[in-house]
Amino acid sequence: MDRSHRGRFAALALAFALTPALAACGSGPDGAATAPSGRAPAEEAAAKSRERVQAYLDALTARDADAGRSQLCAPMHAAFDAAATGPNGDFADHFTVPDATITDVRSGPNGQEVSASVTVAAGSRKATRSLLFTVTRNGADWCISGEVPGDRTADPSEPPPAARPSPISSQ
């Protein structure tokens, strides 16, 4: 078989291999169609992203690290476990969060971007910080895949920032 035939054969084999996978897109378990949510995909993405970040902010306010961790994508768990209750972590013992509010939800290059304003208190000192959460779809569920300081949008030409625990600190 010469090169041109091998290339055509490889392309044809790839097309046949992808056909069943693409046919299953939008299907639930066992190939059954998933029930429509009644919302457009963009609306559903914004709503699910808002829900995840709100649950994380509620966990911050309640000082419930386990509930906060459950909102994160699995690859973020190790970093969260290592830093969340450390001296500058979101759930550090000496911080309280009297106010946490979502300020914006929009589509971004790496998923849904949810901006929040978080007021952190340490003793009598208070500071308000902006956070930008990235929320992505993971199978049938949604999870927080990133959190960075500030209300900024990542440059699509740059790789996404490394996932890390919360930047809320006493700086």
Side-chain angles (χ1 to χ4, degrees):
M1 200 183 286
D2 67 14
R3 280 189 170 184
S4 65
H5 286 95
R6 274 189 238 143
R8 286 185 201 142
F9 180 73
L12 189 57
L14 181 62
F16 280 119
L18 288 177
T19 301
L22 292 174
C25 285
S27 296
D30 303 324
T34 54
S37 67
R39 295 187 259 192
E43 279 180 31
E44 182 177 5
K48 294 292 185 177
S49 297
R50 178 180 286 278
E51 288 171 15
R52 281 295 180 177
V53 172
Q54 187 61 57
Y56 186 83
L57 296 175
D58 291 346
L60 264 175
T61 303
R63 313 307 303 146
D64 186 345
D66 290 337
R69 182 182 194 272
S70 71
Q71 303 310 311
L72 305 177
C73 296
M76 290 186 65
H77 288 179
F80 179 85
D81 293 344
T85 58
N88 291 321
D90 282 358
F91 295 88
D93 288 336
H94 60 281
F95 291 140
T96 59
V97 180
D99 185 46
T101 307
I102 293 174
T103 58
D104 187 33
V105 179
R106 64 188 170 276
S107 183
N110 299 312
Q112 293 294 307
E113 295 179 344
V114 181
S115 300
S117 175
V118 178
T119 301
V120 179
S124 62
R125 294 180 14 202
K126 285 186 180 181
T128 300
R129 301 281 187 247
S130 294
L131 297 175
L132 180 65
F133 295 91
T134 301
V135 181
T136 56
R137 189 169 193 152
N138 182 8
D141 206 1
W142 294 80
C143 59
I144 297 172
S145 59
E147 176 187 349
V148 293
D151 186 21
R152 61 185 180 93
T153 301
D155 180 351
S157 65
E158 295 178 13
R164 63 185 180 138
S166 175
I168 297 176
S169 69
S170 59
Q171 297 174 354

